[in-house]
Amino acid sequence: MANFNPALFGYGALLLLLAASFVARLDHFRLGLAAAALLAMPVAVFSPGGMGYAAFLLVILIVNLGMAARVWLSDAAIRFSTEEQSLRRQHFEGLSPTTARRLIDQGHWISARRGEVLIRENQAAPSLFYLAEGEALIQRDGIEVGTVSGGTLIGEATVLDGAHATGTVSLATNSRLWFVPAAALRAFLAANPDIAGALHEGFARALRGKLANANARIADMPPLS
């Protein structure tokens, strides 16, 4: 025990508290607090009169582990349909099951017919759309500039800030859609600002995927003579 330095545990606890400050999910934050309390306990135990501090640290450890376990049990009880699982896996992967459930429940699932217009050029997107099945046509100034297929988000580039769309998006086939009205989505994110970061990451991935598809489409076009 001559080489034991309890200060090292104190520094470790502080580092864990610092790391916990950067996590987005509440259950991960609680785990950080619990781990920090566990690391700090030897400091209290080996300090003069430190048993009282150790008791408080034990309470912090137990409470935060219990609250984290409560979140995990709640998440484990949540169920998603096959369509919802696909939407979550592709675009809401950064959200916990509870949060993803709440977000998906803000929207609606519909079956839409070929020819229906989802977004009009030079107008704000009325909703965020997820094309679960089918294909949509993108036009600009009446000219086809691209298509998107099942698994794609539509409107994610403008739905949050209300900017006008640069193209018209209409369904090229009978399709299956999930959509959430723009106003409802903005209100939900305003009330839950911790969700916005993870949602923006999903939107950024969707936009990068569209850009890659557009570049591939351009590369496949025959050269101009």
Side-chain angles (χ1 to χ4, degrees):
M1 298 294 292
N3 295 326
F4 175 73
N5 185 0
L8 295 177
F9 288 86
Y11 287 125
L14 291 174
L15 285 173
L16 278 173
L17 286 176
L18 178 62
S21 301
F22 292 99
V23 301
R25 288 182 50 172
L26 182 59
D27 55 331
H28 292 169
F29 176 72
R30 292 193 178 281
L31 278 181
L33 289 182
L38 182 62
L39 269 182
M41 208 168 294
V43 181
V45 169
F46 289 97
S47 299
M51 294 307 295
Y53 294 114
F56 276 113
L57 289 169
L58 181 61
V59 171
I60 292 172
L61 172 65
I62 293 173
V63 167
N64 281 283
L65 283 179
M67 295 299 288
R70 180 177 166 183
V71 172
W72 297 334
L73 290 174
S74 176
D75 285 350
I78 293 174
R79 296 292 179 264
F80 296 93
S81 68
T82 302
E83 290 177 322
E84 291 169 339
Q85 286 174 346
S86 179
L87 169 58
R88 183 180 171 221
R89 183 179 63 256
Q90 294 182 74
H91 303 293
F92 302 154
E93 191 176 22
L95 302 180
S96 70
T98 300
T99 302
R101 176 76 275 160
R102 290 169 56 208
L103 176 57
I104 292 173
D105 286 347
Q106 301 301 308
H108 312 274
W109 289 94
I110 61 170
S111 296
R113 293 186 177 278
R114 178 179 181 272
E116 291 192 29
V117 177
L118 305 182
I119 297 175
R120 296 187 184 277
E121 187 175 355
N122 297 321
Q123 295 183 17
S127 302
L128 171 69
F129 298 92
Y130 167 70
L131 186 61
E133 298 176 7
E135 191 172 85
L137 178 68
I138 305 172
Q139 293 177 308
R140 187 173 299 168
D141 296 326
I143 301 172
E144 179 184 343
V145 295
T147 58
V148 292
S149 55
T152 305
L153 283 180
I154 300 172
E156 75 281 5
T158 60
V159 71
L160 293 183
D161 58 13
H164 287 183
T166 57
T168 295
V169 182
S170 58
L171 296 178
T173 64
N174 292 342
S175 304
R176 180 71 174 162
L177 299 167
W178 172 83
F179 75 95
V180 54
L185 179 60
R186 288 195 287 266
F188 178 76
L189 293 180
N192 301 273
D194 54 314
I195 299 174
L199 198 61
H200 279 296
E201 288 180 9
F203 287 179
R205 283 196 303 271
L207 287 171
R208 286 195 296 270
K210 287 180 181 178
L211 180 60
N213 289 337
N215 289 337
R217 182 185 177 96
I218 292 172
D220 290 338
M221 292 177 63
L224 296 176
S225 55

